[in-house]
């Protein structure tokens, strides 16, 4: 093989490697950006849900069975949330307050779930992909709870999620009128 052919082949292989590395870098960057966007949208969703819960329960003078029933009714009507469990602190640990899960008590038997719910009393936790959120909820009466929310699809984009949540709140208000 001539020197000229070897040089051309070396240049071709070098360019192929550079192109491959650039493509890989672009793919990794796109994946990272998608993950960050999903987490941002999930964070927005969590904040919207927390605000809506405070709004939905503000008319109750104390946190009562009526407030839990109203919250359950609103969550059932939500286009955003497919499953939820809300826990509160009781003597010796966490207690399920309301849920639409089949066996909500089993959630508290899982160590990671218990840890997430305990952390969620004060911070938002987003599972990878943004389809499950752990959200702190402080009611208008000042009580703190943690919500485990299964979001329909990925929690994004945030604007669309906020629109659906607000629409459901407006529809609920029409039913009360």
């Amino acid at each position: 093989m001539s020197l000229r052919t070897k040089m051309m082949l070396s240049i071709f292989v070098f360019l192929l490697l550079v192109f491959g590395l650039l493509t890989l870098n672009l793919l990794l960057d796109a994946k990272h950006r998608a993950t960050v966007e999903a987490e941002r949208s999930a964070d927005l969703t969590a904040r919207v849900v927390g605000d809506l819960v405070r709004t939905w329960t503000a008319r109750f003078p104390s946190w009562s069975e009526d407030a839990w029933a109203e919250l359950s009714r609103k969550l059932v009507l939500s286009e955003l949330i497919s499953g939820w469990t809300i826990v509160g602190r009781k003597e010796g640990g966490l207690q399920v307050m309301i849920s639409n899960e089949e066996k909500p008590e089993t959630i508290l038997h899982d160590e990671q779930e218990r840890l997430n719910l305990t952390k969620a009393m004060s911070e938002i936790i987003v599972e990878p992909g943004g389809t499950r959120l752990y959200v702190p909820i402080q009611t208008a009466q000042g009580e703190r709870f943690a919500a485990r929310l299964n979001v329909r699809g990925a929690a994004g984009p945030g604007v669309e999620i906020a629109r659906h949540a607000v629409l459901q709140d407006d529809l609920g208000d029409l039913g009360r009128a």
Side-chain angles (χ1 to χ4, degrees), residues 68 75 81 83-88 95-105 107-108 113 117 133-135 137 145-150:
W68 286 120
L75 289 170
I81 300 166
W84 72 89
T85 299
I86 299 179
V87 301
Q95 175 184 355
V96 174
M97 307 308 282
I98 60 171
S99 180
N100 75 337
E101 306 281 339
E102 268 188 49
K103 297 181 181 180
E105 295 79 24
I107 293 169
L108 297 178
E113 290 286 344
L117 286 165
L133 312 172
Y134 297 86
V135 182
I137 294 176
F145 300 96
R148 174 184 181 257
L149 307 172
N150 297 326

Side-chain angles (χ1 to χ4, degrees), residues 16-30:
L16 192 61
L17 285 173
V18 168
F19 179 73
L21 288 173
L22 288 174
T23 303
L24 180 63
N25 186 37
L26 288 173
L27 290 173
L28 291 174
D29 186 52

